[in-house]
C-alpha cells in the first residue's frame, strides 16, 4: 500500500521504515492465532449476550457481528492483558463489552452516514431499517455496560464510559467538518482522536486494569492505543480512495461521495489552486458529483502528495505507538503488537 | 379526563376510585415544590454535564432539556430517596443520570418515529437533523454512565444499565407491533413495561440504594415504579387521542398517524366488526389516511369502550402502585407519591 501510494504521490521512499515488512504482513493473523482460545471465549460471550427475547435484536446484531470485521478492538484488550502478564478470564467479558460498544457505533454511524454497504455486504440499516439500527445499537451499548458491571471494576467503567462519550463527541465534530472545505489538519486529527483512537486507547488501557498493573503501565497502554488508533484511521481514510474493493470489504469512494473531509483531501485542498477549489466545492460541499469526479479527486490528491503526506503522518503516529510500547514489560506480545502496528500501516485493505 | 372518557365510552362511573380527586390535581406541582431545592441541584448538574467542547452537543441537548417536560423521572429518584429517609446529596447526580437516559431515548425515539414535534415545539431532529439527534443521544447516554461511575455504586450501575437494555428491547418490540393489527393487549403491555415502566422502576429503586435501605424496600420501590409507569403510559396513550393539544404540548393523533398499536385501538379492533377492521387495516397497517379518519377512529374506540377499558387498566396498575407504597416507611412523601399516581391517571394533558 505504502509503495503504491507513494508511486502515485511521486515519492520514492518513506521518510522512515518502522521495521522489516515481510514478516509483518500476517501480524493480525498471528495475533488472532496467539489469542485464539481467548478470542473464542470472547465470541461465545458476544453471541450469548446479544440474545434477547425480542427476536429482531439477535437477528440484527447477529447479522452485523457475523459480518465479521477484524475484531481488532477486543483483540487489543486481550493482547494488552497478556502483555501485562494477566492469566485470568475477566478480560473476556470486557473484550466483548468493547466489541459491543464498537458495534453500536457502527450501527449508528451507518444511520448517520446513510451508508448502504458495510464490510462488503448490505449495511444493517439497508436491510433492517434505520429505526431498528438505532435501537439495536442502544441495546448493545446498554449490554456492554451490563457486562462491565458484572465484572465490577469501577476503573474499567470509568474508562469505557468516558471513551463512549468522547466517541460521540468525535462523531458530532465529524458532522460539523463534513462538507466543510475549511477543515484543517488539526480538526481532522481531533475527529480521529475522538471517534477512533479513544476506543483503541480504552481497549488497551483496561488490559492493564484487569492485570492490576501500576498506573504507569495503564498510561503507556493508553498512549499506545491512542497513537495506534490515529495511525489506523489515517490509513483507513487513505484506503477509502485507493483500496482494492474486495479486500477492504467496503465501497471505495464512500468518503468522497459523503463529502467527508479526510486527510488526503485536506492536504490536496490546502495545497491546491483556486480552480481546484471550485472542483472540491462542487463535489464535497455541494455534493454535486458526476461521472469521473472520483478519479479526478484521486488525481488531484496524488498531484499534491496528499496520500504520501497522510501516510507519513500515520507512520509518525505509528512510531509514537511503538515508543509507548517500550516502557511496557518485555514479553513476546510486545513484538507482536509492534508488528501489528506496522501491518495496519502497510495494509492494502 | 376520566369523566370525559367515560362519558365518551358510555360508562357512568369507574370501577373504583383511588382517592379523593380535588386535592390531587396539583400533586405534581406539590411534589416539585417539596423537592425544589434538590431539583435545582439536579438541574445544575444537568446543565453542567451536558457541556462539551463540541458546541452542537450543548446546543442540541440544551434545546431538548430546556423544552422542559415534567422531569418526572428524576423527581421519582428524589422522592424515593426522601421516602427512604435519605438526607445526603448523592441522589442529585443519579437523578441527573436518569434524566439523561430519558432524554437520550427521546432523541432516538423522535428519529425512529420521524416525529416533527415534541413538547409543543419542533423536535430536535427536525431542527438539528437525525444524525445529530442520534449522536447527541449517544453522548447523553454515555454521560449518564459517567455520572453513575462518579457516584460509585455498582448496584445503581447494575439497575440502570439493565433498565437501559430493557428500554431498547421495548422500543424494538414496539417497532414489531407498529402497523400490526394482530397486536394483543399482552403484547402492548410488554412494550409499555419495557419502554416506559423499566425506567420509572429503576429511578425509584435507586432511591432505596442511596439510602442504604434493605432489599425489601428496593423491591417495593421497584414495584411501585413499574406499576406507576404502566399506568402512566396507558393514560398517555389515551391522551394521544383525546388531550387538549396545548396542554399536552404534543400533537393529538401522533400514534394514529404512525400506526402505533396502543391500548384503546387494540380494544377497539378486538371488539369491532370485519368492516371496521377494513378501516383499521387501511389507516394503521397501510397508513393510507384521509381527512376525517382520526375522528372516525376516535368514534370507533368510543363505540367499543376502548378509552374506558384502557383507563380501567390504568387504574388497576395505579392501585398496584399504591399497594407497593404501603410496605414503605410512613413518611409524608408516601402520601405525596400516592397523590401523584392519582394525578397522573386523572390528568388531561
Amino acid at each position: 500500500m505504502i509503495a503504491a501510494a507513494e508511486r502515485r504521490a511521486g515519492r520514492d521512499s518513506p521518510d522512515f521504515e518502522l521495521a522489516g515488512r515481510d514478516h509483518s504482513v500476517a501480524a493480525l493473523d498471528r495475533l488472532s492465532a496467539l489469542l485464539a482460545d481467548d478470542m473464542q471465549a470472547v465470541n461465545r460471550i458476544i453471541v450469548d449476550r446479544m440474545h434477547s427475547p425480542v427476536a429482531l435484536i439477535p437477528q440484527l446484531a447477529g447479522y452485523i457481528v457475523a459480518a465479521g470485521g477484524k475484531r481488532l478492538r477486543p483483540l487489543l484488550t486481550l493482547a494488552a492483558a497478556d502483555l501485562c502478564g494477566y492469566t485470568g478470564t475477566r478480560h473476556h467479558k470486557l473484550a466483548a463489552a468493547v466489541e459491543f460498544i464498537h458495534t453500536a457505533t457502527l450501527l449508528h454511524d451507518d444511520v448517520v452516514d446513510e451508508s448502504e454497504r458495510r464490510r462488503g455486504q448490505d449495511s444493517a440499516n439497508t436491510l433492517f431499517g434505520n429505526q431498528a439500527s438505532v435501537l439495536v445499537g442502544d441495546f448493545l451499548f446498554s449490554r456492554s455496560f451490563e457486562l462491565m458491571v458484572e465484572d465490577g471494576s469501577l476503573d474499567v467503567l470509568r474508562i469505557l464510559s468516558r471513551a463512549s462519550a468522547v466517541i460521540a463527541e468525535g462523531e458530532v465534530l465529524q458532522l460539523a467538518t463534513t462538507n466543510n472545505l475549511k477543515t484543517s489538519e488539526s480538526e481532522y486529527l481531533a475527529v480521529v482522536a475522538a471517534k477512533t483512537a479513544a476506543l483503541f486507547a480504552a481497549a488497551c488501557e483496561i488490559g492493564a486494569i484487569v492485570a492490576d498493573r501500576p498506573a504507569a503501565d495503564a498510561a503507556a497502554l493508553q498512549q499506545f492505543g491512542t497513537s495506534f488508533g490515529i495511525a489506523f484511521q489515517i490509513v483507513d481514510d487513505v484506503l477509502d480512495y485507493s483500496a482494492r474493493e474486495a479486500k477492504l470489504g467496503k465501497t471505495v469512494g464512500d468518503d468522497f461521495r459523503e463529502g467527508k473531509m479526510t486527510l488526503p483531501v485536506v492536504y490536496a485542498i490546502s495545497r491546491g489552486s483556486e480552480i481546484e477549489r471550485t472542483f472540491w466545492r462542487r463535489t464535497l460541499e455541494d455534493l454535486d458529483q458526476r461521472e469521473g469526479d472520483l478519479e479526478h479527486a484521486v488525481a488531484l490528491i496524488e498531484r499534491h502528495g496528499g496520500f504520501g503526506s497522510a501516510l507519513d503522518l500515520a507512520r509518525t503516529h505509528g512510531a509514537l505507538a511503538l515508543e509507548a510500547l517500550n516502557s511496557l514489560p518485555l514479553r513476546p506480545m510486545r513484538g507482536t503488537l509492534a508488528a501489528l502496528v506496522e501491518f495496519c500501516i502497510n495494509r492494502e485493505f
Side-chain angles (χ1 to χ4, degrees), chain A residues 43-66:
Chain A
N43 284 333
R44 274 194 298 271
I45 295 169
I46 287 175
V47 171
D48 185 47
R49 301 309 290 274
M50 71 169 94
H51 181 76
S52 161
V54 182
L56 183 56
I57 291 177
Q59 275 167 26
L60 194 157
Y63 177 78
I64 188 165
V65 165

Side-chain angles (χ1 to χ4, degrees), chain A residues 41-218:
Chain A
V42 174
N43 284 333
R44 274 194 298 271
I45 295 169
I46 287 175
V47 171
D48 185 47
R49 301 309 290 274
M50 71 169 94
H51 181 76
S52 161
V54 182
L56 183 56
I57 291 177
Q59 275 167 26
L60 194 157
Y63 177 78
I64 188 165
V65 165
K70 298 170 285 292
R71 295 268 204 283
L72 185 51
R73 292 153 190 83
L75 274 171
L76 285 176
T77 298
L78 299 177
D82 181 88
L83 180 55
C84 290
Y86 181 66
T87 55
T89 58
R90 276 177 61 196
H91 57 336
H92 296 160
K93 238 177 212 177
L94 298 179
V98 165
E99 184 67 1
F100 276 168
I101 291 176
H102 177 57
T103 308
T105 64
L106 291 186
L107 284 169
H108 287 183
D109 270 7
D110 283 344
V111 172
V112 165
D113 294 344
E114 294 159 1
S115 304
E116 291 170 8
R117 308 279 293 170
R118 157 80 60 191
R119 292 172 179 165
Q121 51 182 35
D122 287 340
S123 60
N125 54 319
T126 303
L127 219 61
F128 297 91
N130 279 338
Q131 307 170 314
S133 290
V134 169
L135 298 174
V136 174
D138 290 349
F139 174 82
L140 291 176
F141 197 55
S142 306
R143 193 42 61 92
S144 85
F145 278 93
E146 286 192 88
L147 283 164
M148 290 179 242
V149 170
E150 288 172 24
D151 174 68
S153 161
L154 281 167
D155 280 334
V156 168
L157 278 155
R158 178 182 46 74
I159 291 163
L160 281 171
S161 60
R162 178 78 199 119
S164 301
V166 170
I167 291 169
E169 287 179 324
E171 301 274 3
V172 175
L173 194 58
Q174 180 169 264
L175 271 189
T177 64
T178 300
N179 312 121
N180 183 355
L181 290 200
K182 291 202 195 78
T183 304
S184 66
E185 181 193 54
S186 71
E187 283 166 333
Y188 165 84
L189 286 171
V191 169
V192 164
K195 76 163 190 172
T196 305
L199 190 55
F200 274 60
C204 292
E205 188 178 1
I206 62 176
I209 304 294
V210 291
D212 209 14
R213 296 285 303 171
D217 281 7

